[in-house]
Amino acid sequence: MQPMMVQMLFMLREVASPTGAGNGFEGPLDRGAAPPQSCPMDRSTVSRLCAALPGALLDHPWDEGHDAWKIGGRIFALVGASGHGVTVKCPDVETAALLIETGRAERAPYMHRSWVLLPFGPDLAEDEAEHRIAVSYRLIREGLPRRIRETL
């Protein structure tokens, strides 16, 4: 097989599935290949992701066990004392319901129905958590009064 063709097959395999499983390209290219390892999600990973966002501040409104990440004084991400997962805002109730129905999220206790809890575990990849945190951050930031947004 020509080198360019092998490279194209490898790229197609990556696009079809990050682990190469069930994508129709199992065979000689997959022998001995280990699936990529992802960093386990936890409180410290959420803190790293949130701290990278402009103007994000960590607050402990209830006690030191609750990490509330805020922009302009409003929460956009929350890790409770149990450390079970991270709570984020979705664009609407329908998106939250879809994430819950598909098993990607759980109903966020004590929050509006547009908020979900992304449970920590092997099913929560860092890139998915980063995306959901960024969406929540953007939604909260856009909802701030203009005079506050301009100071951030």
Side-chain angles (χ1 to χ4, degrees), residues 11-149:
M11 288 170 36
L12 284 172
R13 183 184 71 165
E14 286 184 334
V15 170
S17 169
T19 63
N23 59 18
F25 290 100
E26 291 81 17
L29 293 175
D30 290 292
R31 286 194 192 121
Q37 299 298 315
S38 63
C39 181
M41 285 299 301
D42 60 9
R43 183 182 302 269
S44 64
T45 306
V46 170
S47 291
R48 180 177 50 79
L49 295 173
C50 291
L53 297 168
L57 297 173
L58 177 61
D59 190 14
H60 302 283
W62 300 283
D63 60 36
E64 289 297 316
H66 292 82
D67 292 350
W69 283 93
K70 296 181 176 184
I71 180 73
R74 296 191 184 159
I75 295 173
F76 69 88
L78 176 66
V79 179
S82 69
H84 174 66
V86 59
T87 300
V88 293
K89 182 170 179 51
C90 294
D92 49 47
V93 173
E94 293 79 17
T95 302
L98 180 65
L99 289 170
I100 292 167
E101 284 177 27
T102 59
R104 302 304 308 155
E106 299 173 4
R107 171 86 172 86
Y110 313 110
M111 304 295 272
H112 184 267
R113 293 181 327 160
S114 61
W115 289 74
V116 295
L117 173 70
L118 303 171
F120 295 148
D123 291 339
L124 181 59
E126 185 173 330
D127 60 341
E128 180 180 4
E130 183 175 18
H131 169 73
R132 297 280 168 219
I133 289 169
V135 167
S136 182
Y137 169 87
R138 180 182 51 80
L139 291 168
I140 299 300
R141 185 176 175 128
E142 288 173 354
L144 294 172
R146 186 179 57 175
R147 62 179 165 67
I148 293 176
R149 279 194 321 261

